[in-house]
Structures are given as structure tokens and as C-alpha cells.
Amino acid sequence: MTRILMVCLGNICRSPLAEGILKSKLDHAKFLVDSAGTASHHVGSSPDHRSVEIAKRNGLDITYQSGRVFVKEDFKTFDYIFVMDTSNYEDVLNLAETQKHRDKVSLILNKIFPDEDMSVPDPYHNSIDGFKQVYEMLEESCSVIAKELEKS
Ligand code: 4NP
């Protein structure tokens, strides 16, 4: 089983979408996809209603998800950790204790814009259009991730 974790700040907007999108592209018998946030404000919360709506428009149900915080143990559990922005990247790396764990972490948009270190914008204070843009970026990145994982 290969395990992939998607990480953002609140685990209610971006990473739940990334989890839902990647999960829909992979064989559930071989891959486990989860998500978490670096902050604890939304622990136990359902995904933001705008992420739920965008997911639904694209045939995905993410309502089963529940917010949780990223913990050190996740470095052991997961093989790949994709973060949404540079601030999440720093927060997650600050918890890493070994190079092996640091090597598991990467910015998700580097899958489509290699080495550019671009961030998926935080859509929380934006309109539904912001969520639509986030969905499109994540869809493209997750297509690349899924192809690479299925090959490996
Ligand atoms: P996310 O978005 O990190 O994509 O889940 C946010 C959700 C909540 C907050 C910030 C970003 N907040 O400040 O509560």
C-alpha cells in the first residue's frame, strides 16, 4: 500500500479537494489518500461548503471528510506528503526530524511547474471562483501524480 497525504493550513478548503481528486484517480486497493492541516482551528470540521460544491460539480463527494491536524507520526505513516503552499511547507518541515522525512515533502504545484515553488492560493476569503481555480490547479497536479504513482 502506498500512502499519500495532502496538507494545507485548515484542512477544510484545499487539501480536502486534493484528497478527493487524487483518490478518484487511484486504485483504492493499492493507494491510500488522506489530508491534514497544519493548524488546529478546524479539527473535526467538514470541508468548507464551497469545496464541497466544486467537488460535487466535478462528480466528487468529499462530505465524508473530517478536519485533522498534521502530526509528526504522519512522516512515518505516509510515503508522499504534498503541501499546498510555501507556508505549509515550512510548518511541516519544522516537524521533520530526519532527512528521509524531509524528502517526503513537496509542493504540489511543482508537479506541473517544476522547481517554481508556486503555492496553491488560499481561497478561504475568496469567492467560489477562487475555489474553482484551486480545483483546476489540483486536478492538473493530481493527474500527474496519479500517472507517476501508477507507473511506479
Ligand atoms: P485551507 O484554507 O488551508 O485550504 O483549508 C483555510 C481554511 C481556514 C482558514 C484559513 C485557510 N482559517 O483561517 O480559518
Side-chain angles (χ1 to χ4, degrees):
M1 181 73 83
T2 302
R3 296 178 170 85
I4 306 105
L5 184 67
M6 301 297 190
V7 179
C8 63
L9 174 63
N11 192 210
I12 55 168
C13 300
R14 292 165 291 177
S15 59
L17 268 178
E19 175 186 334
I21 294 167
L22 187 62
K23 211 174 255 183
S24 74
K25 295 178 185 294
L26 293 172
D27 178 348
H28 298 184
K30 291 192 217 153
F31 298 97
L32 183 148
V33 188
D34 191 12
S35 64
T38 56
S40 57
H41 310 82
H42 300 282
V43 168
S45 299
S46 295
D48 186 281
H49 65 94
R50 295 161 296 179
S51 286
V52 169
E53 170 61 24
I54 290 296
K56 195 173 158 201
R57 284 187 201 171
N58 289 279
L60 302 176
D61 178 11
I62 60 167
T63 57
Y64 66 89
Q65 295 184 33
S66 172
R68 77 162 177 93
V69 78
F70 179 87
V71 290
K72 270 186 194 179
E73 190 67 21
D74 288 321
F75 286 115
K76 289 187 196 147
T77 310
F78 292 91
D79 303 292
Y80 299 94
I81 299 169
F82 290 106
V83 296
M84 301 296 128
D85 66 33
T86 51
S87 159
N88 311 146
Y89 186 76
E90 280 174 25
D91 290 341
V92 168
L93 278 202
N94 278 339
L95 294 173
E97 283 165 350
T98 67
Q99 190 56 41
K100 189 177 161 215
H101 290 172
R102 278 188 278 277
D103 289 345
K104 294 183 177 190
V105 188
S106 61
L107 282 159
I108 195 165
L109 287 187
N110 276 351
K111 284 290 167 196
I112 47 174
F113 304 115
D115 301 322
E116 292 197 18
D117 293 346
M118 285 175 65
S119 292
V120 179
D122 177 353
Y124 190 58
H125 296 290
N126 208 327
S127 66
I128 191 85
D129 281 347
F131 283 74
K132 198 167 162 240
Q133 282 168 10
V134 164
Y135 179 89
E136 281 159 13
M137 292 173 193
L138 293 177
E139 164 62 33
E140 237 186 287
S141 294
C142 288
S143 292
V144 175
I145 295 168
K147 272 192 204 122
E148 288 180 1
L149 287 173
E150 294 281 10
K151 260 193 264 165
S152 65

